Amino acid sequence: NQGQTSEAIELTRAALELEGRYASEDDTGLARTRAKLGFYLSRDGRYDEALAQDDAAIVALERGSPQDRLEATEVMRSRARIH
């Protein structure tokens, strides 16, 4: 539903803004929120914005734990579907 996707984008942007106040750019929690925002943006057809969020998420997740790197792989798969 378009309305639900728009609301999800708004809420995720708000969460990202709040998290960004307290976390560094390479924080994996912040990266996961970026990946969620990328997902919602792609569902809304906002592909350039989605790719930018996914790219930022991937960079941070690749620097993290093995689990984080696995999540980076999932974001890359999701990103590949956008193209």
Side-chain angles (χ1 to χ4, degrees):
N1 182 330
Q2 184 67 26
Q4 291 174 331
T5 300
S6 294
E7 183 178 2
I9 290 170
E10 286 181 39
L11 292 172
T12 307
R13 280 195 194 279
L16 189 60
E17 183 179 327
L18 183 62
E19 289 175 32
R21 292 181 191 168
Y22 304 101
S24 66
E25 282 297 311
D26 62 343
D27 181 82
T28 56
L30 187 64
R32 286 182 189 88
T33 303
R34 286 187 184 283
K36 287 178 189 174
L37 180 56
F39 171 77
Y40 293 132
L41 288 166
S42 69
R43 286 188 60 178
D44 198 42
R46 296 159 67 178
Y47 302 117
D48 290 340
E49 292 175 76
L51 291 172
Q53 294 299 325
D54 286 348
D55 287 346
I58 290 166
V59 168
L61 290 169
E62 285 181 330
R63 294 182 182 147
S65 70
Q67 179 63 39
D68 295 329
R69 290 191 297 275
L70 181 62
E71 287 184 49
T73 303
E74 291 302 316
V75 175
M76 285 182 221
R77 286 186 185 137
S78 174
R79 188 184 189 290
R81 286 186 283 255
I82 292 173
H83 287 294

